[in-house]
């Protein structure tokens, strides 16, 4: 069996991490299954793959729909006798459809990794209901529920949690946060890992810092955010400056192996307004860093409020602030949360489980 995985994004994020984890797990557990990744050339994902043993090919992607990219899909499938095309995001899906018109490609499997609703536009609905798509793998039950409004055949929808790769964990970092950023020993580090995109709503994250430091006069906190900068970054930096928070917050930009910094966080704080399930949660649970999050997307399927973490409505920086202060001052509650979270992670949310379930989908939908 030969699987071609498609990614047409130009940055590095949870979706690309999922592809890497899936292919790594399958190469180890089922070496008879060949996996090849097609990614955009000269992107962070391409550079990341260069450092792995995974099979990959690249194509230029200088515009959203680049003929060189979708022609590469078709020619590779014909040359290498690909059995299934696993499409990992919507831009790649459109390219695959264009390639199918020219090459009559093998069956598609599509991964829906966010809880964004499918837009009720004719072109969008055509794309997501394209007949070559045999299964749509949803990252959470909430994502599946949202997708039902745009998918005509609900039997195509299946939830497969992504999980975390237990074999690749490390806490080695090129520097210590406290030393590099002169964070005092009595300051608690509140961490976040996520790219600077609308879904992460880092404006709320900054508002939590403002409430804690400026309004509550609690200068014993320091906020560290790791994630790829974007066109939204300047506004975030301006917000930090306007609130005089420069001494209490740092944006680190894209950082390789960002999750390795998690053991240096005292708390993980997620302020997203839309999610599937962020990899950051799984990594926090593994490294036993307590989690506070907005209750959006599939997050509540992993974090149960007041059982293995604390949840708040999206945009509610006051509730999140109370959670941060409460949890930071209760070491017993932290221990209880991380113990329960770790057990739940190992039982249900690993890439090993994900790979087994995904392989079954491939086997059941291959053209024999």
């Amino acid at each position: 069996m030969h699987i071609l995985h498609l990614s047409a994004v130009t940055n590095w994020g949870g979706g690309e991490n999922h592809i890497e984890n899936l292919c790594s797990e399958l190469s180890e557990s089922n070496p008879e299954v060949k996996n090849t990744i097609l990614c955009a050339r000269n992107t962070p994902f391409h550079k990341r793959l260069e450092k792995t043993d995974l099979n990959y090919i690249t194509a230029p992607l200088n515009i959203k729909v680049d003929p060189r990219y979708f022609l590469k899909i078709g020619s590779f499938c014909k040359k290498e006798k690909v059995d299934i095309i696993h499409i990992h995001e919507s831009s790649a899906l459109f390219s695959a459809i264009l390639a199918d018109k020219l090459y009559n490609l093998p069956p598609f499997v599509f991964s829906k990794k966010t809880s964004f609703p499918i837009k009720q536009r004719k072109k969008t609905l055509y794309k997501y209901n394209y007949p070559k798509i045999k299964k749509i793998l949803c990252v959470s039950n909430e994502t599946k529920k949202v997708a039902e409004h745009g998918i005509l055949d609900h039997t195509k929808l299946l939830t497969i949690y992504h999980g975390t790769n237990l074999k690749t964990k490390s806490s080695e970092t090129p520097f210590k946060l406290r030393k590099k950023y002169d964070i005092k020993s009595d300051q608690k580090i509140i961490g976040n890992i996520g790219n600077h995109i609308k879904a992460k709503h880092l404006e709320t994250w900054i508002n939590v810092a403002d409430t804690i430091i400026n309004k509550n006069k609690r200068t014993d906190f320091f906020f560290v955010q790791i994630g790829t900068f974007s066109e939204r970054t300047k506004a975030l930096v301006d917000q930090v400056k306007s609130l005089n928070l420069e001494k209490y917050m740092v944006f680190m930009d894209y950082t390789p192996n960002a999750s390795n910094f998690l053991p240096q966080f005292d708390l993980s704080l997620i302020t997203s307004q839309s999610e599937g399930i962020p990899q950051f949660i799984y990594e926090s649970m593994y490294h036993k860093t307590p989690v506070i999050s907005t209750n959006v997307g599939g997050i509540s399927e992993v974090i149960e409020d007041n059982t293995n973490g604390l949840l708040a409505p999206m945009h509610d920086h006051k509730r999140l602030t109370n959670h941060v202060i409460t949890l930071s001052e209760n070491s017993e509650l932290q221990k209880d949360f991380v113990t329960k979270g770790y057990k739940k992670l190992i039982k249900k949310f690993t890439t090993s489980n994900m790979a087994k379930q995904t392989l079954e989908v491939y086997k059941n939908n291959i053209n024999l």
Side-chain angles (χ1 to χ4, degrees):
M1 189 189 302
H2 190 174
I3 314 300
L4 176 62
H5 299 264
L6 302 186
S7 170
V9 299
T10 55
N11 58 8
W12 169 264
E16 292 62 58
N17 187 61
H18 166 241
I19 300 171
E20 183 179 300
N21 282 332
L22 176 59
C23 293
S24 296
E25 287 283 355
L26 288 173
S27 67
E28 186 171 323
S29 62
N30 297 84
E32 75 281 3
V33 178
K34 183 176 181 181
N35 293 274
T36 302
I37 301 164
L38 171 58
C39 67
R41 188 171 298 165
N42 297 324
T43 59
F45 192 24
H46 178 192
K47 293 173 183 177
R48 171 97 171 201
L49 289 171
E50 287 180 324
K51 299 176 182 178
T52 72
D53 295 325
L54 300 175
N55 299 314
Y56 70 91
I57 55 175
T58 67
L61 195 66
N62 296 334
I63 55 177
K64 190 171 184 180
V65 182
D66 195 318
R68 294 169 295 180
Y69 183 88
F70 68 75
L71 290 173
K72 184 85 169 193
I73 297 171
S75 61
F76 184 83
C77 286
K78 293 303 179 186
K79 180 181 177 182
E80 299 296 330
K81 294 182 173 55
V82 168
D83 298 294
I84 294 273
I85 300 177
H86 190 158
I87 305 162
H88 290 267
E89 41 80 34
S90 58
S91 295
L93 174 57
F94 188 58
S95 291
I97 291 171
L98 291 175
D100 185 50
K101 300 298 184 184
L102 297 172
Y103 292 92
N104 187 23
L105 298 178
F108 297 173
V109 170
F110 178 72
S111 280
K112 185 157 180 18
K113 302 175 182 180
T114 69
S115 59
F116 294 127
I118 296 171
K119 293 180 180 178
Q120 299 297 301
R121 296 190 303 213
K122 188 175 181 180
K123 288 182 179 179
T124 304
L125 293 171
Y126 172 78
K127 179 172 69 173
Y128 281 98
N129 288 282
Y130 193 68
K132 275 283 173 75
I133 301 175
K134 303 306 178 183
K135 283 292 179 182
I136 298 176
L137 311 184
C138 301
V139 71
S140 67
N141 287 329
E142 178 62 23
T143 296
K144 180 174 177 283
K145 180 179 177 182
V146 170
E148 288 177 352
H149 298 288
I151 303 300
L152 296 175
D153 183 357
H154 292 178
T155 64
K156 290 185 176 182
L157 297 167
L158 176 68
T159 298
I160 297 181
Y161 295 106
H162 288 179
T164 192
N165 191 335
L166 303 178
K167 307 178 189 72
T168 59
K169 293 292 177 282
S170 172
S171 59
E172 291 186 13
T173 56
F175 55 84
K176 296 296 182 183
L177 294 172
R178 289 190 181 276
K179 184 175 182 180
K180 184 175 179 67
Y181 298 110
D182 195 26
I183 304 171
K184 297 174 183 177
S185 59
D186 65 337
Q187 287 183 302
K188 300 171 184 66
I189 297 177
I190 310 302
N192 174 280
I193 300 176
N195 294 337
H196 292 195
I197 59 176
K198 184 177 180 181
K200 303 300 180 182
H201 210 265
L202 293 171
E203 295 85 352
T204 297
W205 199 72
I206 297 170
N207 287 335
V208 171
D210 175 49
T211 305
I212 290 175
I213 293 163
N214 292 327
K215 295 182 173 62
N216 293 1
K217 308 299 181 184
R218 293 290 301 268
T219 57
D220 54 330
F221 289 86
F222 193 96
F223 291 73
V224 174
Q225 203 285 323
I226 307 174
T228 302
F229 288 178
S230 71
E231 71 282 352
R232 304 179 67 85
T233 302
K234 185 181 182 302
L236 295 171
V237 172
D238 289 345
Q239 184 183 356
V240 170
K241 289 179 179 178
S242 70
L243 296 170
N244 296 314
L245 290 171
E246 296 101 316
K247 293 181 180 179
Y248 303 97
M249 180 176 290
V250 64
F251 292 118
M252 286 173 55
D253 202 356
Y254 168 75
T255 304
N257 303 312
S259 63
N260 290 11
F261 284 96
L262 266 160
Q264 298 177 47
F265 294 173
D266 291 289
L267 297 175
S268 290
L269 174 63
I270 297 161
T271 57
S272 301
Q273 62 182 358
S274 178
E275 285 286 0
I277 297 177
Q279 191 70 24
F280 179 36
I281 285 186
Y282 295 139
E283 301 290 349
S284 296
M285 293 167 77
Y286 176 85
H287 286 290
K288 298 185 177 180
T289 303
V291 176
I292 296 168
S293 177
T294 45
N295 187 3
V296 297
I299 288 176
S300 63
E301 295 167 42
V302 182
I303 299 296
E304 299 172 68
D305 188 32
N306 217 29
T307 297
N308 63 342
L310 294 173
L311 299 176
M314 68 176 176
H315 306 153
D316 192 342
H317 67 273
K318 292 182 180 179
R319 182 84 64 88
L320 290 166
T321 295
N322 290 337
H323 285 342
V324 169
I325 293 174
T326 297
L327 193 54
S328 69
E329 295 175 347
N330 192 331
S331 59
E332 289 302 313
L333 190 59
Q334 292 180 39
K335 290 177 183 176
D336 185 45
F337 283 175
V338 298
T339 298
K340 291 175 179 175
Y342 184 81
K343 289 180 179 178
K344 186 174 184 177
L345 176 79
I346 300 303
K347 181 179 180 180
K348 192 171 183 179
F349 302 115
T350 66
T351 53
S352 177
N353 290 339
M354 171 202 51
K356 290 176 185 176
Q357 294 171 42
T358 305
L359 182 57
E360 283 303 306
V361 173
Y362 296 159
K363 289 178 178 177
N364 291 334
N365 290 280
I366 195 169
N367 281 339
L368 300 175

